[in-house]
């Protein structure tokens, strides 16, 4: 049972284009239990989850946020390569959407409540930021949290002079380990609000603090996180988020609608859509026509999804009536577009690169300084590694000098290493004669009897200093 006597937090997991699930959850919380949002101590988010968290913390319109998410997905699906097409700039589209949805005082409303998860580029550590001095800083933090390397670009964005990338890389569900934190994830797992798949699999994947059950449903969701599905599937995910949030509220007895609505758009009484329950014969005929044409089959009439949300989803799923749209969707035209891609893609890529270079000019000095700094750090690390290898090789050479000379090993002498200095040398010239050139034999003849181990002399010192002979 969820405890309301203590403070609570909300935490939205990163999920790419599956963020439409978070919008369904947010719409249910605003309609059925708005106090959970208004009185929350922290509203945390990572990657796409930080966008929904920022909308709730800044009291922006969740309906407009839903429109933007579906519009971005539809824009990406227009291209053959989807979001990977050179002409699709996700960072630019995201910045434009945030500037349009967030109010002018969003940074004042979000500071202290909103917690954005970031991954620092320099050391890969997770950073939670919750203080913003302007709306531009808030937008920059959200862009950093959503920036996936290579997928979104090569040079990571900066927040307050520090480079950050996607917060989901280091912590995809921030502060989920704290007590009374309501965790929200579009993947079936152990989160408080998540889909319930009918699967008997007990295997679980832990991705940076996010529980993902290993089943076919989650595999499909993972495939759609970076490549958006069609609008009808996204509408179904939004409805699933609303349904899962409502189930969580009912199980924990948290339903309460006495508080005023945070999102005024959800209370619009003038909004209507073709999926509403029929009141007149005309509306009944219109609804029957939609069902016969298999339009909006994904909407569950038993769910009380807010009317403005239903209207947005219905408009997004309507087929385009333009002649060009209908012709371009035909199979021969689609096959022809893929066959012409080797010829059209270079031209589109060149135009997109030129356009991005022009937009990059104001940020060139800061980015060049960062690139030079990274190159310098890499060089220093490589130089330190080379010096460490040389030092290790020299130490190994000194250890080899500590061993006994081969002459002692042949004669069976045993010396105590503690009594022999490292640079000591053994001179046996006084005990052994040079080879006899007049004799046919090349054997060494001793001048004196064979020395015993106690008669061996060691000379310690450098070559320039006189050596004293000491009998051991």
């Amino acid at each position: 049972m969820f405890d309301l006597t203590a403070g609570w937090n909300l935490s939205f997991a990163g999920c790419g284009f599956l963020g439409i699930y978070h919008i369904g959850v947010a719409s249910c919380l605003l309609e059925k239990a708005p106090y959970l949002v208004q009185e929350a101590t922290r509203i945390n988010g990572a990657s796409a989850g930080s966008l929904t968290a920022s909308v709730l913390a800044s009291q922006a319109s969740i309906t407009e946020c839903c429109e933007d998410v579906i519009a971005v997905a539809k824009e990406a699906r227009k291209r053959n390569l989807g979001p990977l097409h050179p002409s699709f700039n996700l960072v630019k589209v995201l910045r434009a959407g945030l500037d349009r949805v967030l109010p002018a005082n969003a940074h004042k409303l979000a500071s202290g409540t909103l917690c954005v998860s970031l991954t620092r580029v320099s050391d890969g550590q997770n950073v939670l930021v919750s203080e913003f001095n302007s709306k531009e800083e808030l937008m920059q933090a959200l862009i950093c949290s959503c920036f996936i390397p290579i997928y979104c670009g090569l040079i990571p964005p900066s927040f307050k002079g520090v480079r950050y990338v996607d917060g989901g890389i280091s912590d995809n569900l921030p502060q989920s380990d704290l007590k009374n934190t309501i965790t929200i994830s579009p993947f079936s797992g152990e989160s408080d609000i998540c889909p319930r798949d009918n699967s008997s699999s007990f295997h679980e994947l832990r991705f940076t603090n996010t529980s993902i059950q290993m089943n076919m449903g989650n595999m499909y969701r993972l495939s759609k996180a970076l490549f958006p599905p069609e609008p009808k599937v996204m509408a179904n995910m939004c409805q699933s988020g609303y349904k899962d949030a409502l189930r969580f509220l009912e199980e924990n007895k948290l339903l309460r609608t006495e508080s005023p609505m945070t999102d005024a758009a959800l209370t619009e009484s003038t909004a209507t859509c073709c999926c509403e329950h029929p009141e007149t014969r005309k509306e009944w005929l219109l609804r029957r026509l939609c069902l016969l044409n298999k339009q909006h089959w994904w909407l569950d009439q038993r769910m009380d999804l807010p009317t403005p949300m239903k209207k947005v989803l219905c408009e997004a799923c309507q087929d385009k009536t333009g002649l060009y749209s209908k012709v371009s969707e035909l199979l021969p035209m689609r096959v022809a577009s893929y066959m012409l891609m080797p010829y059209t893609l270079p031209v589109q890529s060149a135009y997109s690169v030129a356009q991005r270079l022009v937009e990059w000019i104001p940020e060139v000095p800061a980015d060049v300084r960062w690139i030079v700094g990274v190159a310098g750090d890499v060089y220093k690390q490589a130089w330190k590694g080379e010096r460490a290898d040389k030092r290790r090789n020299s130490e190994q050479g000194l250890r080899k000098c500590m061993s006994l000379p081969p002459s002692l090993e042949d004669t069976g002498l045993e010396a105590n290493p503690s009594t022999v200095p490292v640079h000591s040398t053994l001179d046996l010239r006084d005990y052994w004669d040079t080879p006899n050139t007049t004799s046919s034999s090349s054997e060494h003849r001793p001048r004196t009897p064979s020395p015993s181990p106690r008669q061996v002399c060691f000379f310690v010192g450098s070559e320039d200093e006189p050596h004293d002979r000491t009998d051991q």
Side-chain angles (χ1 to χ4, degrees), residues 12 44 57 68 75-76 116 148 177 186 223 228 242-243 298 372:
F12 293 87
N44 311 308
D68 282 348
E75 186 68 21
V116 181
I148 303 175
D177 54 340
S223 66
Y242 187 95
K243 178 180 63 177
W298 40 267
V372 171

Side-chain angles (χ1 to χ4, degrees), residues 217-434:
N218 279 339
M219 295 299 102
Y220 174 78
R221 297 183 186 101
L222 286 172
S223 66
K224 299 300 180 182
L226 299 180
F227 297 91
E230 59 182 359
K232 290 183 179 181
V233 177
M234 298 188 69
N236 193 16
M237 291 180 179
C238 182
Q239 181 190 351
S240 176
Y242 187 95
K243 178 180 63 177
D244 295 335
L246 184 61
R247 181 181 63 245
F248 170 78
L249 296 176
E250 291 175 348
E251 291 177 352
N252 294 273
K253 300 180 180 180
L254 299 176
L255 289 174
R256 188 191 304 173
T257 58
E258 295 85 3
S259 303
M261 299 298 297
T262 304
D263 190 1
L266 295 179
T267 61
E268 295 178 0
S269 58
T270 57
T272 58
C273 73
C274 59
C275 297
E276 288 295 302
H277 296 286
E279 296 180 358
T280 63
R281 182 175 179 81
K282 181 179 179 180
E283 294 177 354
W284 182 83
L285 292 175
L286 180 61
R287 179 171 177 268
R288 294 298 300 173
L289 181 62
C290 291
L291 294 177
L292 290 176
N293 294 335
K294 296 184 178 180
Q295 296 179 6
H296 317 310
W297 55 268
W298 40 267
L299 276 177
D300 187 358
Q301 294 295 326
R302 296 172 296 178
M303 297 303 303
D304 295 328
L305 201 65
T307 300
M309 297 291 294
K310 283 186 177 182
K311 183 178 180 181
V312 170
L313 298 178
C314 289
E315 292 177 354
C317 296
Q318 287 178 356
D319 295 332
K320 298 180 180 180
T321 57
L323 179 61
Y324 175 78
S325 300
K326 291 183 178 180
V327 172
S328 60
E329 291 296 329
L330 296 177
L331 181 60
M333 295 299 297
R334 294 171 61 184
V335 172
S337 65
Y338 279 103
M339 294 179 64
L340 293 175
M341 187 182 298
Y343 306 97
T344 59
L345 188 60
V347 178
Q348 295 175 348
S349 301
Y351 176 77
S352 301
V353 169
Q355 187 178 11
R356 293 195 183 192
L357 286 176
V358 173
E359 297 174 352
W360 184 48
I361 290 177
E363 302 177 359
V364 167
D367 292 343
V368 169
R369 285 194 300 268
W370 177 77
I371 293 174
V372 171
V374 171
D377 294 339
V378 172
Y379 175 77
K380 290 179 182 178
Q381 293 294 333
W383 178 252
K384 289 181 180 179
E386 184 178 356
R387 293 182 63 182
D389 293 340
K390 290 182 178 179
R391 189 181 301 110
R392 191 179 301 109
N393 293 335
S394 63
E395 291 177 357
Q396 291 177 358
L398 289 176
R399 283 194 293 270
K400 290 180 180 179
C401 294
M402 293 286 291
S403 60
L404 289 174
S407 57
L408 287 180
E409 293 178 358
D410 295 340
T411 56
L413 300 180
E414 295 181 357
N416 187 5
S418 62
T419 61
V420 181
V422 175
H423 300 287
S424 300
T425 58
L426 178 65
D427 193 351
L428 301 179
R429 289 176 295 180
D430 294 338
Y431 296 93
W432 298 92
D433 190 8
T434 57

Side-chain angles (χ1 to χ4, degrees), residues 104-318:
N105 61 340
H107 59 286
K108 297 180 180 179
L109 299 173
S111 294
T113 302
L114 175 64
C115 238
V116 181
S117 175
L118 305 175
T119 302
R120 193 162 47 209
V121 176
S122 59
D123 54 3
Q125 296 297 320
N126 182 259
V127 178
L128 295 178
V129 296
S130 59
E131 296 296 332
F132 314 97
N133 298 323
S134 62
K135 180 181 176 181
E136 179 64 25
E137 277 194 0
L138 173 60
M139 293 168 52
Q140 197 65 24
L142 296 175
I143 291 174
C144 290
S145 183
C146 297
F147 187 89
I148 303 175
I150 301 177
Y151 181 83
C152 295
L154 298 177
I155 301 178
S158 61
F159 174 71
K160 295 184 178 181
V162 182
R163 301 282 174 169
Y164 297 97
V165 292
D166 194 336
I169 298 176
S170 55
D171 191 355
N172 198 47
L173 201 59
Q175 295 186 349
S176 60
D177 54 340
L178 299 181
K179 185 179 180 181
N180 274 10
T181 297
I182 302 176
T183 56
I184 303 159
S185 172
F187 303 104
S188 177
E190 296 181 356
S191 300
D192 295 324
I193 301 178
C194 66
R196 301 286 181 85
D197 293 338
N198 296 326
S199 175
S200 59
S201 175
F202 295 98
H203 298 284
E204 179 190 22
L205 172 65
R206 279 280 175 178
F207 175 75
T208 61
N209 212 21
T210 305
S211 171
I212 302 177
Q213 189 179 8
M214 299 299 294
N215 54 40
M216 295 303 299
N218 279 339
M219 295 299 102
Y220 174 78
R221 297 183 186 101
L222 286 172
S223 66
K224 299 300 180 182
L226 299 180
F227 297 91
E230 59 182 359
K232 290 183 179 181
V233 177
M234 298 188 69
N236 193 16
M237 291 180 179
C238 182
Q239 181 190 351
S240 176
Y242 187 95
K243 178 180 63 177
D244 295 335
L246 184 61
R247 181 181 63 245
F248 170 78
L249 296 176
E250 291 175 348
E251 291 177 352
N252 294 273
K253 300 180 180 180
L254 299 176
L255 289 174
R256 188 191 304 173
T257 58
E258 295 85 3
S259 303
M261 299 298 297
T262 304
D263 190 1
L266 295 179
T267 61
E268 295 178 0
S269 58
T270 57
T272 58
C273 73
C274 59
C275 297
E276 288 295 302
H277 296 286
E279 296 180 358
T280 63
R281 182 175 179 81
K282 181 179 179 180
E283 294 177 354
W284 182 83
L285 292 175
L286 180 61
R287 179 171 177 268
R288 294 298 300 173
L289 181 62
C290 291
L291 294 177
L292 290 176
N293 294 335
K294 296 184 178 180
Q295 296 179 6
H296 317 310
W297 55 268
W298 40 267
L299 276 177
D300 187 358
Q301 294 295 326
R302 296 172 296 178
M303 297 303 303
D304 295 328
L305 201 65
T307 300
M309 297 291 294
K310 283 186 177 182
K311 183 178 180 181
V312 170
L313 298 178
C314 289
E315 292 177 354
C317 296
Q318 287 178 356

Side-chain angles (χ1 to χ4, degrees), residues 17 72 191 229:
F17 284 100
V72 172
S191 300

